[in-house]
Amino acid sequence: MQAPSISLIIPTHNRREMMDDLLRSIVGLSKKPEEVVVVDDGSATPYRAPSLPGLDLRVLRHDVPTGPGKARNTGVHASTGDILLFTDDDCIACDGWVESLTDRLVSG
């Protein structure tokens, strides 16, 4: 049986440095999501992610701010994972985080 794929959805608005720090922390995880979907919710300057090898990253953009809930929903509709994880742009991913959220789902 193939393990379910994991998508991580992150809304952001005008927090470029925090978003960059979060993405760098994801790169360092021992278990990474197969896909990361960042939804720029109408930031004054469109978010451009740094080049991060080993991370399947897509950045989507709302032209005007709609709020984090709608940004998350945009990410849900664009994601392809079997399991959807969410975090905010002011967080840092700690090693073991993905496993702690998904292992019970996978093992039954």
Side-chain angles (χ1 to χ4, degrees):
M1 180 173 154
Q2 185 177 5
S5 60
I6 300 167
S7 294
L8 175 59
I9 299 164
I10 312 164
T12 190
H13 178 77
N14 290 332
R15 288 184 167 172
R16 171 181 296 283
E17 287 181 27
M18 287 184 194
M19 190 70 238
D20 289 352
D21 289 343
L22 170 57
L23 292 174
R24 286 187 193 99
S25 74
I26 293 167
V27 169
L29 296 176
S30 57
K31 179 175 182 174
K32 296 180 225 8
E34 283 77 17
E35 166 186 61
V36 176
V37 179
V38 173
V39 182
D40 177 358
D41 190 37
S43 295
T45 301
Y47 179 72
R48 302 274 186 253
S51 176
L52 298 167
L55 195 64
D56 180 6
L57 174 66
R58 284 187 292 148
V59 178
L60 308 175
R61 178 166 165 79
H62 290 168
D63 290 330
V64 296
T66 60
K70 287 190 178 183
R72 286 184 191 99
N73 285 336
T74 296
V76 167
H77 292 292
S79 66
T80 62
D82 300 312
I83 297 173
L84 305 181
L85 300 180
F86 300 87
T87 194
D88 292 322
D89 57 9
D90 60 349
C91 296
I92 295 295
C94 298
D95 207 28
W97 175 71
V98 172
E99 296 93 317
S100 71
L101 294 172
T102 59
D103 283 355
R104 289 185 71 185
L105 294 172
V106 174
S107 65

